[in-house]
């Protein structure tokens, strides 16, 4: 098992937030040095499935308040749901722009400004619609000794990958937030071309 490890757990510290005090745990990819973070609230041990969210990094949405996507809204909603539950885990998956990187994401935005949708823009840049590696997230759960989760997601692909990696997803909970005129086409494309469930 250890021969196939992608990550190591590196450090942890308290992270006070608007929603409560989380434990922030840092992980490092062994081959690339790339890092990811888990935010843990409350007691996550035991056999009860843990409320969880895998949130892929989005600088523009998470930090710069972009209305082009729903990412920042989903991040805030997920942290609020976990706080309301009193226990849970948010994995901050650092694969910006569905893992094409920030600069390519800006290039994709430029193509979208000229008429392409989010999938078409990725293809024009030579990327798949989604380049993310969610097996890294499965390993983060393993390193946290979590094997049963209730997953906050609209993306059935996450459920499939986690299940294949041995994580039991007992429930998929919708996380629909931040619809606005600037992201209407983006949301439609995620539903129609990427299979996301965006109706309650």
């Amino acid at each position: 098992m250890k021969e196939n490890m992608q990550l190591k757990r590196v450090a942890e510290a308290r992270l006070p937030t608007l929603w409560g005090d989380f434990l922030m745990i840092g992980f490092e990819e062994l081959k690339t040095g790339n890092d990811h973070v888990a935010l843990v609230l409350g007691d996550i041990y035991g056999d009860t499935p843990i409320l969880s969210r895998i949130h892929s990094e989005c600088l523009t949405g998470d930090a710069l308040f972009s209305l082009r996507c729903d990412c920042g809204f989903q991040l805030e909603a997920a942290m609020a749901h976990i706080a309301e539950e009193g226990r849970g885990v948010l994995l901050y998956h650092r694969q910006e722009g569905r893992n094409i990187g920030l600069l390519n994401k800006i290039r994709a935005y430029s193509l979208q400004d000229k008429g392409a949708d989010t999938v078409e823009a990725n293809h024009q840049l030579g990327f798949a619609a989604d380049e993310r590696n969610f097996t890294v997230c499965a390993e983060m759960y393993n390193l946290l000794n979590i094997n049963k989760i209730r997953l906050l997601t609209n993306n059935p692909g996450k459920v499939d990958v986690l299940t294949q990696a041995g994580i039991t997803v007992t429930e998929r909970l919708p996380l629909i937030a931040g619809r606005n005129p600037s992201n209407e086409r983006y949301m439609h494309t995620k539903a129609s071309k990427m299979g996301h469930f965006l109706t309650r």
Side-chain angles (χ1 to χ4, degrees):
M1 177 69 176
K2 290 190 176 180
E3 292 179 1
N4 298 320
M5 293 285 283
Q6 299 180 77
L7 298 174
K8 64 178 177 180
R9 182 169 171 167
V10 176
E12 60 185 60
R14 187 176 67 90
L15 183 72
T17 76
L18 294 173
W19 300 276
D21 284 4
F22 287 76
L23 178 67
M24 179 172 61
I25 303 171
F27 299 86
E28 183 178 69
E29 291 187 35
L30 298 175
K31 289 185 178 178
T32 65
N34 294 340
D35 48 71
H36 307 273
V37 169
L39 299 182
V40 176
L41 183 70
D43 182 2
I44 60 171
Y45 302 105
D47 199 47
T48 304
I50 301 296
L51 181 64
S52 188
R53 164 75 178 162
I54 295 172
H55 187 86
S56 293
E57 180 178 33
C58 176
L59 177 71
T60 49
D62 298 343
L64 301 179
F65 317 108
S66 171
L67 298 178
R68 296 186 74 132
C69 63
D70 55 344
C71 303
F73 301 100
Q74 287 188 313
L75 177 60
E76 291 192 16
M79 293 185 74
H81 283 310
I82 289 170
E84 185 177 349
E85 183 101 350
R87 64 195 290 264
V89 175
L90 185 139
L91 302 187
Y92 198 80
H93 182 222
R94 299 202 60 212
Q95 295 189 351
E96 176 73 50
R98 294 192 221 111
N99 207 23
I100 68 173
L102 179 60
L103 296 183
N104 280 322
K105 178 179 176 179
I106 297 171
R107 292 184 179 103
Y109 278 172
S110 178
L111 291 170
Q112 290 169 43
D113 289 341
K114 296 178 176 73
D117 65 32
T118 183
V119 170
E120 292 165 348
N122 270 31
H123 289 166
Q124 288 177 36
L125 292 171
F127 298 107
D130 193 338
E131 296 271 351
R132 288 174 293 183
N133 173 13
F134 291 116
T135 64
V136 169
C137 301
E139 193 163 312
M140 290 170 74
Y141 286 126
N142 287 329
L143 289 170
L144 292 169
N145 295 313
I146 293 171
N147 56 31
K148 293 181 182 178
I149 60 172
R150 296 159 52 229
L151 190 63
L152 287 159
T153 186
N154 306 320
N155 182 355
K158 289 181 182 178
V159 177
D160 293 342
V161 172
L162 293 176
T163 300
Q164 291 168 16
I167 304 299
T168 300
V169 181
T170 63
E171 186 179 9
R172 184 195 67 82
L173 301 167
L175 190 65
I176 300 172
R179 285 184 180 273
N180 68 81
S182 294
N183 69 20
E184 183 177 354
R185 188 183 185 202
Y186 169 79
M187 300 285 277
H188 174 76
T189 301
K190 285 210 297 185
S192 63
K193 291 190 175 182
M194 303 181 72
H196 288 213
F197 298 123
L198 291 173
T199 57
R200 291 189 183 278

